[in-house]
């Protein structure tokens, strides 16, 4: 009876080992659970994140890229055309324009806008902290692109470098307001001397919210 019992136990052990064997010769690597939202066609999918172990591709719907597309907004510099830009009648023309044509077609209108704001408050435009005239500022604002300088610090403006890129913590609206209304020292329209406060929107970056290293990079709001 003992021999019979040991024989049964031996056969059971062999069966267990066989069931755990490396039948597919994959080095005993345990495959990860299927991921149907990683943006990669893998794990037997027949399309990106569909088919195979995921939802059938025919049930995912398709995006139709045929037809003619229309540019409706450019927004290289946030808030410029939306808040400080040219007339409402011309905003659509500006938004569907290309950078190559913006200077010639819109710089004069941005200059008129700059001078008009100052006139409305009983003051003439004063060259700003970069010593730029109203005409020069109009030309800069009309080119609504985000410029990047690979050989300079990435910043919207740091007191020395201007429009060499943009950090997440850069207060682009305040920078624009300072360049427009700050005058030679950056504080001309600061609420003193009978002039309104126009050099800040009083909305700043909360430094207690750390920048993260993964998208969307900004920490949750407090």
């Amino acid at each position: 009876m003992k021999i019979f019992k040991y024989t049964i136990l031996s056969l059971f052990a062999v069966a267990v080992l066989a069931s755990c064997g490396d039948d597919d010769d994959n080095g005993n690597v345990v495959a990860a659970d299927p991921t149907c939202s990683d943006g990669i066609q893998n794990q037997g999918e027949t399309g990106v994140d569909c088919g195979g172990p995921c939802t059938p591709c025919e049930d995912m719907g398709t995006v139709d890229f045929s037809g003619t597309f229309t540019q409706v907004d450019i927004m290289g510099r946030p808030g410029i055309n939306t808040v400080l830009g040219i007339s409402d009648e011309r905003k659509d023309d500006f938004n569907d324009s290309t950078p190559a044509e913006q200077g010639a077609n819109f710089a004069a209108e941005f200059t008129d806008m700059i001078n008009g704001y100052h006139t409305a408050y009983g003051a003439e435009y004063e060259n700003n902290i970069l010593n730029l005239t109203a005409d020069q500022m109009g030309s800069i604002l009309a080119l609504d692109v985000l410029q990047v300088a690979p050989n300079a610090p990435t910043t919207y403006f740091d007191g020395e470098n201007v429009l060499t890129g943009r950090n997440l913590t850069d207060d682009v609206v305040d920078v624009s307001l300072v360049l427009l209304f700050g005058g030679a020292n950056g504080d001309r329209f600061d609420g003193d001397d009978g002039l309104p406060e126009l050099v800040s929107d009083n909305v700043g970056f909360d430094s207690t919210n750390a920048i993260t290293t993964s998208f969307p990079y900004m920490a949750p709001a407090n």
Side-chain angles (χ1 to χ4, degrees):
M1 287 295 296
K2 289 185 178 181
I3 295 176
F4 178 77
K5 181 171 67 174
Y6 291 142
T7 300
I8 294 298
L9 290 174
S10 299
L11 291 174
F12 178 77
V14 170
V16 170
L17 291 174
S19 66
C20 296
D22 192 7
D23 294 333
D24 54 4
D25 195 31
N26 66 357
N28 287 327
V29 176
V30 179
D33 291 336
T35 301
C36 299
S37 60
D38 56 8
I40 304 171
Q41 183 176 342
N42 53 10
Q43 65 197 12
E45 298 167 3
T46 57
V48 177
D49 291 341
C50 66
C54 305
T55 302
C57 293
E58 56 269 21
D59 295 338
M60 295 287 289
T62 58
V63 179
D64 183 4
F65 289 104
S66 63
T68 302
F69 291 84
T70 301
Q71 176 181 308
V72 296
D73 205 347
I74 189 161
M75 287 292 286
R77 295 179 185 152
I80 297 302
N81 187 38
T82 305
V83 180
L84 304 172
I86 53 182
S87 65
D88 289 340
E89 294 78 12
R90 290 276 280 161
K91 283 185 184 290
D92 287 342
D93 294 335
F94 183 81
N95 280 331
D96 64 22
S97 64
T98 62
E101 60 189 17
Q102 287 176 337
N105 291 343
F106 301 100
E109 294 178 56
F110 274 95
T111 299
D112 289 344
M113 177 271 297
I114 295 170
N115 288 322
Y117 274 128
H118 285 77
T119 300
Y121 292 110
E124 292 186 0
Y125 175 86
E126 178 181 287
N127 285 10
N128 62 22
I129 53 179
L130 300 178
N131 198 33
L132 297 175
T133 66
D135 287 335
Q136 290 171 323
M137 276 301 299
S139 297
I140 289 174
L141 295 181
L143 185 60
D144 194 8
V145 297
L146 180 59
Q147 296 160 299
V148 176
N151 59 345
T154 298
T155 180
Y156 209 68
F157 180 60
D158 62 3
E160 179 179 355
N161 299 281
V162 62
L163 301 179
T164 55
R166 179 186 176 188
N167 285 307
L168 287 172
T169 55
D170 289 342
D171 195 333
V172 297
V173 174
D174 273 14
V175 168
S176 299
L177 292 173
V178 166
L179 294 178
L180 284 169
F181 302 108
N185 297 318
D187 58 359
R188 186 182 183 199
F189 279 79
D190 62 356
D192 294 333
D193 301 325
L195 295 175
E197 183 181 355
L198 300 178
V199 291
S200 175
D201 62 356
N202 295 311
V203 177
F205 174 74
D206 184 355
S207 60
T208 63
N209 272 350
I211 300 297
T212 65
T213 57
S214 59
F215 182 83
Y217 308 112
M218 302 294 284
N222 288 336

